[in-house]
């Protein structure tokens, strides 16, 4: 079958099982948009309002489904607008394929209109990228792109397609054979001595703790990790992106670790004699000062990315492999154990934490972010997919919305990209149309991508937007309060009337200023089939506790004073 | 020459696809990860689609492993080895232009070159070009000796290395389009791939 390059792109997307793509047209990608019409019934195109939105939507889709998300943009400014989304996906190992138009091959290098060296610009923020210079290479290149995006440690892959390659014709051959990439062999199994080594450390440990990361969900190893925890009675703490890897109501799961993690998790890590790090990468936000990090503990580190082993924290047993495969090698030989004393100590720390829980404080007349998020949790039965933006509300969602299922908290962890939440929620809705989706965003971050309200309306995407409005760039304000003597430089925000804005876009909305109004507004949003917006006007100067100041020792946490202590 | 490790440098050798932009990817990764590279050479191999790189770093084995694992992550990098654990040959080549305008310097240079694996490859009335091949250590010793006579221009290729013996560092990879086209030739009559 002879096809144009543009048609080959569509055919390849169909072969890869793609149903939806998020994009924005322009000159250099126009042939591909023209070809779309013919495929409209099978491949839905979502017209975004800014290409950054397209990249986050593809990312949200990928995080919610585990499948590759697709975004499309034109050359030059269209492609550069994707960069933030690619970098976000790269940091959080989210599989997306971006297809960009490029100026025709003869014009490349001439500073032609809307020419940008897109493969050059995106090199450090993609897992791999391609410039296709011959239409005969197009089909297998796209197949490779999907393969690379979704296998091993997933990540974004960009395919830059010059306009003349989109127009040129060739025989369409989709390589049905397996991809052969000589330099790409994600590790899978552990060696026997590594498994033995890990088993020995677990057998010898008296105070073990599991550090559960995002990789557990990417590998589909939730059951195996749970079995490991239960059989050897090992408590587990979660990274931000690891939330959902184990049900948070499980008695062995002790909440998030790190800068704004549970105090009990951080204490337990510092006191442990064995860390079992699974599909996580010891980011500085979870370790604090590396010199004093878990100094009493031996470390088992299992990750699919070999370069993560020994990168930040030296492993006594480091295993590069697919977590599910490796745990299945290990579990048959794992002895039952119990650690009542160790778990007892953790319970004491938890006790202390609950005394400091803001929800147990008398706060008459105030509306607090923690209350709003915990109410949303209660009303949604803890079963919604929540997609956050970045800031205080993000950390409070992690603390006050326990997740029971994998891939139900979608958040920009590694890059901390403000503006991610709302578009990623739209993308997630396309991936999981039957799930209830909440975008929980700050007043600052929402304004970075609020133009996508039009997209949500055009697509009637049933996404509930909860704006946590403190009229501040709250997280930055918190740092200014703690470390810059409350000099609130460039953090107070004069905001638009978000409800009127929603009105202008045709989005049903509610304003909430009192705790008593929360339930009604949340139920109202849930009752509407289509986008809704609730503006929660919360206290201006809240704090997220505990907090490990950047670079401080993990046990050196700023805590909320107990009632009566303040 | 039997090679023994005389310095604190590590050698990493990588087989990479000979494709546009591959060197850029590798350089970009080194810069992004702030790896400190002492020298990096790329050259062709006996296989048209494969180039080979030798990377020298001032570092210990752990650092070299970090470089190796990060290199291995790049899709176009086929195989990586840290060479220091095995006996290997290393060579660096220098072209050195020296002053040659009086009998004294002429004599000195000839005398030094006689004691090293060095050749005078171009002689004029004022300057001469010396070609010197050897390990990095020997090359550096040579350069130190020549310096007093007046080096006016110099270029070094950087170190290339190869493990000794039969542990062959090679790949039988041919390029990707060829693979796909070969597969498509194997199509059966009904247009399906077999
Ligand atoms: C694109 C981007 N710019 C700047 C920052 C730095 N930053 C981190 S949190 C934050 C404040 C966020 O404020 P808001 O969206 O109102 O959320 P809040 O913290 O108040 O919940 C800022 C500016 C960032 N993470 N991302």
């Amino acid at each position: 079958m002879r096809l144009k390059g543009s048609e080959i792109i569509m055919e390849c997307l169909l072969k890869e099982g793609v149903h939806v793509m998020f994009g924005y047209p322009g000159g250099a990608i126009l042939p591909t948009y023209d070809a779309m019409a013919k495929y409209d019934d099978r491949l839905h195109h979502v017209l975004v309002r800014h290409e950054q939105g397209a990249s986050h939507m593809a990312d949200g889709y990928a995080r919610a489904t585990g499948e590759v998300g697709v975004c499309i943009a034109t050359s030059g400014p269209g492609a550069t607008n994707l960069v933030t989304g690619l970098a976000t996906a790269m940091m959080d190992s989210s599989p997306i394929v971006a297809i960009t138009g490029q100026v025709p091959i003869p014009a490349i290098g001439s500073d032609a209109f809307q020419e940008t060296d897109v493969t050059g610009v995106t090199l450090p923020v993609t897992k791999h990228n391609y410039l296709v210079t011959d239409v005969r290479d197009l089909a297998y290149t796209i197949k490779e792109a999907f393969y690379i995006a979704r296998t091993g440690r997933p990540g974004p892959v960009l395919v830059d397609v010059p306009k003349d390659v989109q127009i040129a014709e060739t025989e369409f051959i989709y390589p049905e054979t397996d991809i052969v990439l000589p330099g790409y062999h994600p590790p899978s199994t552990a060696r026997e001595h590594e498994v033995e080594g890990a088993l020995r450390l677990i057998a010898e440990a008296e105070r073990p703790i599991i550090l559960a990361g995002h990789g557990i969900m990417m590998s589909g190893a939730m059951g195996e990790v749970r079995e490991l925890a239960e059989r050897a009675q090992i408590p587990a703490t979660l990274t931000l992106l690891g939330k959902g890897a184990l049900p948070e109501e499980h008695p062995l799961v002790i909440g998030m670790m790190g800068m704004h993690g549970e105090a009990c998790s951080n204490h337990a890590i510092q006191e442990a004699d064995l860390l079992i790090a699974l599909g996580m990468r010891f980011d500085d936000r979870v370790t604090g000062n590396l010199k004093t990090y878990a100094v009493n503990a031996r470390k088992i580190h299992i990750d699919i990315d070999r370069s993560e082993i020994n990168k930040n924290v030296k492993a006594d047993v480091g295993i590069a492999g697919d977590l599910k495969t490796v745990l299945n090698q290990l579990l048959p030989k794992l002895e039952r154990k119990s650690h009542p004393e160790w778990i007892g100590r953790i319970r004491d720390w938890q006790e202390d934490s609950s005394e400091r829980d803001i929800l147990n404080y008398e706060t008459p007349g105030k509306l607090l972010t923690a209350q709003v998020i915990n109410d949303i949790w209660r009303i949604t039965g803890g079963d919604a997919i929540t997609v956050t933006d970045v800031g205080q509300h993000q950390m409070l969602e992690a603390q006050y919305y326990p997740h029971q299922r994998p891939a139900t908290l979608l958040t920009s962890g590694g890059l901390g990209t403000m503006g991610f939440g709302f578009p990623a929620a739209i993308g997630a809705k396309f991936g999981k149309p039957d799930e209830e989706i909440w975008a929980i965003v700050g007043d600052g971050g929402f304004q970075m991508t609020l133009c996508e309200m039009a997209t949500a309306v055009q697509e009637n995407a049933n996404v509930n937007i909860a704006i946590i409005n403190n009229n501040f760039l709250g997280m930055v304000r918190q740092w200014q309060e703690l470390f810059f003597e409350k000099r609130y430089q460039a953090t107070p925000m004069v905001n638009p009337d978000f409800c009127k804005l929603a009105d202008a876009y045709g989005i049903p909305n509610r304003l909430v200023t009192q705790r008593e109004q929360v339930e009604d507004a949340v139920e109202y949003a849930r009752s509407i089939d289509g986008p809704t917006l609730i503006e929660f006007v919360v206290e201006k100067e809240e704090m997220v506790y505990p907090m490990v100041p950047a670079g401080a020792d993990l046990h050196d946490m700023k805590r909320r004073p107990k009632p009566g202590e303040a | 020459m039997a090679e023994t490790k005389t310095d604190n440098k590590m050698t990493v050798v990588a087989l990479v696809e000979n494709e546009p932009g591959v060197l850029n990817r590798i350089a970009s990764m080194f810069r992004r990860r702030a790896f400190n590279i002492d020298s990096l050479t790329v050259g062709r191999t006996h296989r048209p689609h494969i180039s080979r790189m030798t990377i020298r770093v001032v570092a210990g084995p752990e650092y070299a492993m970090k470089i190796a694992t990060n290199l291995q992550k790049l899709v176009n990098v086929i195989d990586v080895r840290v060479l220091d654990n095995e006996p290997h040959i290393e060579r660096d080549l220098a072209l050195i232009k020296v002053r040659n305008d009086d009998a004294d310097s002429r004599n000195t240079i000839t005398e030094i070159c006689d004691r090293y694996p060095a050749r005078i490859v171009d002689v004029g009335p004022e300057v001469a070009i010396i070609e010197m091949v050897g390990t990095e250590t020997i090359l550096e010793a040579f350069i130190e000796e020549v310096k007093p006579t007046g080096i006016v221009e110099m270029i070094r290729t950087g170190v290339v290395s190869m493990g000794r013996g039969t542990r062959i560092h090679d790949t039988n990879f041919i390029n990707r389009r060829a693979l796909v086209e070969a597969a498509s030739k194997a199509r059966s009559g009904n247009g399906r791939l077999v």
Side-chain angles (χ1 to χ4, degrees):
Chain A
M1 186 174 30
R2 274 189 88 73
L3 291 180
K4 290 187 191 141
S6 55
E7 295 162 329
I8 289 176
I9 294 174
M10 295 298 123
E11 292 285 343
C12 288
L13 294 181
L14 286 174
K15 290 273 189 190
E16 290 297 332
V18 177
H19 307 293
V20 60
M21 51 200 168
F22 307 94
Y24 206 85
I29 194 72
L30 213 46
T32 296
Y33 271 81
D34 192 46
M36 265 176 214
K38 239 173 52 186
Y39 296 85
D40 217 18
D41 52 333
R42 286 164 292 166
L43 252 180
H44 180 59
H45 177 269
V46 175
L47 175 65
V48 300
R49 294 302 185 271
H50 186 295
E51 290 88 349
Q52 181 184 351
S55 59
H56 292 326
M57 285 179 208
D59 190 346
Y61 178 94
R63 291 180 200 232
T65 61
E67 287 158 27
V68 179
V70 176
C71 56
I72 301 192
T74 192
S75 67
T80 56
N81 276 347
L82 294 177
V83 170
T84 303
L86 293 171
T88 305
M90 182 74 173
M91 281 293 243
D92 289 347
S93 311
S94 183
I96 68 181
V97 166
I99 294 170
T100 47
Q102 182 54 279
V103 301
I105 294 168
I108 288 181
S110 71
D111 302 321
F113 177 65
Q114 293 194 330
E115 182 188 0
T116 303
D117 172 11
V118 171
T119 41
V121 168
T122 60
L123 191 64
V125 294
T126 51
K127 183 172 174 186
H128 194 57
N129 65 21
Y130 296 91
L131 171 65
V132 181
T133 53
D134 187 323
V135 71
R136 287 175 298 165
D137 297 335
L138 191 54
Y140 78 82
T141 301
I142 293 177
K143 179 159 180 170
E144 276 184 23
F146 275 84
Y147 176 72
I148 292 171
R150 77 160 85 84
T151 53
R153 178 176 178 176
V157 179
L158 179 138
V159 185
D160 201 22
V161 190
K163 193 172 186 177
D164 46 349
V165 173
Q166 297 168 46
I167 293 167
E169 285 189 11
T170 189
E171 187 65 22
F172 172 60
I173 305 165
Y174 194 72
E176 306 277 351
T177 46
D178 284 345
I179 293 282
V180 192
L181 288 168
Y184 183 77
H185 310 286
S188 86
T189 54
R191 304 207 190 110
E192 205 44 48
H193 75 268
E194 295 171 332
V195 174
E196 295 303 328
L199 285 166
R200 202 185 57 245
L201 295 196
I202 294 171
E204 287 170 8
E206 284 168 6
R207 300 183 308 281
I209 184 164
I210 290 171
L211 312 185
H214 193 193
I216 295 171
M217 291 180 275
M218 307 218 124
S219 170
M222 289 78 69
E224 284 78 5
V225 175
R226 185 169 174 165
E227 195 179 334
L228 169 69
E230 287 174 353
R231 184 129 35 112
Q233 284 296 301
I234 306 173
T237 167
L238 308 163
T239 66
L240 175 63
L241 264 63
K243 274 178 68 88
L246 291 164
E248 280 185 76
E249 278 168 12
H250 193 289
L252 285 168
V253 178
I254 62 169
M256 189 170 71
M257 67 182 98
M259 182 176 271
H260 293 293
E262 300 292 337
C264 63
S265 298
N266 291 345
H267 282 309
I269 289 169
Q270 294 298 71
E271 300 285 313
D273 67 355
L274 177 67
L275 305 188
I276 307 171
L278 305 176
M280 57 83 74
R281 61 186 175 85
F282 292 107
D283 180 84
D284 55 273
R285 287 302 194 250
V286 312
T287 63
N289 182 3
L290 279 172
K291 290 205 180 72
T292 58
Y293 179 70
V295 284
N296 305 310
R298 296 199 276 186
K299 285 109 187 164
I300 299 171
H301 190 183
I302 309 178
D303 197 280
I304 198 154
D305 182 350
R306 182 167 275 126
S307 73
E308 289 297 347
I309 314 272
N310 295 330
K311 184 181 84 177
N312 295 338
V313 170
K314 188 140 178 39
D316 297 274
V317 174
I319 303 177
D322 168 54
L323 189 60
K324 190 182 173 82
T325 313
V326 173
L327 288 180
N328 277 317
Q329 290 176 271
L330 189 138
L331 284 170
K333 299 178 192 158
L334 183 74
E335 304 279 343
R336 287 193 181 281
K337 278 191 83 181
S338 64
H339 307 97
E341 212 174 298
W342 172 228
I343 289 174
R345 280 183 71 187
I346 290 174
R347 296 282 175 255
D348 291 343
W349 286 316
Q350 282 178 320
E351 195 91 350
D352 175 71
S353 289
S354 64
E355 281 177 45
R356 298 170 193 265
D357 187 334
I358 189 82
L359 294 183
N360 298 333
Y361 285 46
E362 299 284 337
T363 52
K366 289 184 174 173
L367 183 62
L368 304 178
T369 308
Q371 296 168 340
V372 171
I373 287 170
N374 211 239
D375 285 352
I376 295 177
W377 168 74
R378 188 172 41 77
I379 297 161
T380 58
D383 206 36
I385 294 181
T386 59
V387 189
T388 77
D389 213 75
V390 171
Q392 290 183 311
H393 67 278
Q394 177 190 33
M395 292 300 117
L396 290 164
E397 138 47 82
Q399 295 180 350
Y400 289 97
Y401 198 118
H403 289 263
Q404 302 302 317
R405 293 182 297 142
T408 53
L409 167 61
L410 316 184
T411 190
S412 168
L415 202 67
T417 306
M418 283 172 72
F420 169 85
F422 176 43
I426 297 174
K429 187 70 202 180
F430 277 95
K432 293 278 182 190
D434 299 330
E435 301 249 9
E436 177 175 354
I437 311 267
W438 282 83
I440 299 178
V441 298
D443 48 317
F446 181 60
Q447 291 186 69
M448 288 197 169
T449 44
L450 62 70
C451 57
E452 303 306 340
M453 282 199 284
T455 311
V457 170
Q458 187 161 347
E459 296 289 337
N460 195 34
N462 188 354
V463 170
N464 305 311
I465 309 165
I467 303 180
I468 309 295
N469 183 4
N470 51 15
N471 283 284
F472 262 111
L473 294 172
M475 186 56 90
V476 178
R477 189 209 60 75
Q478 172 163 345
W479 285 50
Q480 289 171 329
E481 172 169 344
L482 291 173
F483 312 118
F484 295 91
E485 290 153 347
K486 293 198 177 188
R487 288 186 296 275
Y488 293 152
Q489 175 65 24
T491 43
M493 301 265 272
V494 175
N495 284 326
D497 180 331
F498 289 109
C499 290
K500 274 193 186 154
L501 208 51
D503 280 338
Y505 279 98
I507 293 182
N509 56 81
R510 285 285 168 89
L511 176 69
V512 171
T513 56
Q514 308 294 322
R515 180 86 188 263
E516 300 71 51
Q517 302 166 321
V518 174
E519 178 148 356
D520 196 43
V522 171
E523 288 295 8
Y524 169 71
R526 301 180 79 205
S527 71
I528 288 174
D529 180 22
T532 55
L533 180 151
I534 311 174
E535 176 185 351
F536 295 95
V537 180
V538 297
E539 283 298 299
K540 284 168 107 77
E541 301 190 21
E542 290 184 80
M543 298 292 276
V544 184
Y545 288 116
M547 179 180 192
V548 182
D553 305 336
L554 190 60
H555 51 270
D556 185 13
M557 285 168 273
K558 292 187 184 296
R559 305 293 304 275
R560 177 178 300 112
K562 289 187 192 180
E565 267 184 12
Chain B
M1 238 172 296
E3 321 282 321
T4 45
K5 246 177 95 61
T6 54
D7 54 25
N8 56 348
K9 289 183 190 168
M10 299 287 293
T11 306
V12 181
V13 174
L15 297 178
V16 306
E17 284 182 61
N18 182 7
E19 269 196 17
V22 173
L23 184 59
N24 188 16
R25 286 176 199 282
I26 291 167
S28 163
M29 187 278 286
F30 285 154
R31 183 186 46 74
R32 180 159 72 91
R33 301 257 175 220
F35 286 139
N36 232 326
I37 303 301
D38 188 65
S39 80
L40 186 158
T41 62
V42 202
R44 297 190 176 189
T45 65
H46 59 303
R47 300 191 186 272
H49 301 292
I50 305 296
S51 301
R52 178 160 161 148
M53 305 183 51
T54 306
I55 300 144
R56 298 271 290 163
V57 285
V58 184
E62 267 180 35
Y63 197 76
M65 269 315 289
K66 276 191 183 176
I67 290 179
T69 52
N70 277 287
L71 270 172
Q72 192 69 74
K73 259 171 90 168
L74 300 175
V75 173
N76 304 110
V77 174
I78 297 169
D79 192 37
V80 185
R81 267 193 214 172
V82 180
L83 268 193
D84 294 72
N85 303 323
E86 48 182 302
H88 62 277
I89 302 292
E90 64 160 66
R91 287 293 178 272
D92 196 353
L93 181 148
L95 293 177
I96 307 165
K97 192 179 280 180
V98 290
R99 262 186 221 300
N100 195 31
D101 47 5
D102 60 78
D104 251 14
S105 51
R106 269 197 292 274
N107 289 341
T108 318
I109 282 162
T110 327
E111 187 269 325
I112 300 172
C113 285
D114 280 349
R115 286 188 285 110
Y116 282 89
R119 299 195 298 148
I120 296 167
V121 289
D122 183 50
V123 193
E126 283 155 66
V127 293
I129 298 179
I130 308 167
E131 173 203 281
M132 162 72 192
V133 184
T135 64
E136 198 175 31
T137 329
I138 295 173
L139 203 79
E140 269 155 23
F142 177 78
I143 292 165
E144 281 311 307
E145 284 208 42
V146 177
K147 246 183 204 163
T149 55
I151 296 176
V152 292
E153 205 179 318
M154 186 176 103
I155 176 69
R156 287 170 65 170
T157 57
V159 174
V160 293
S161 304
M162 191 174 283
R164 300 178 66 175
T166 51
R167 238 191 106 207
I168 307 297
H169 197 194
D170 190 19
T171 167
N172 54 14
F173 167 71
I174 49 170
N175 86 346
R176 294 199 215 155
R177 194 197 291 166
L179 276 179
V180 175
E181 280 174 3
S184 63
K185 282 212 186 86
R187 281 169 138 223
S188 64
N190 61 12
R192 289 259 170 72
L193 278 174
V194 288

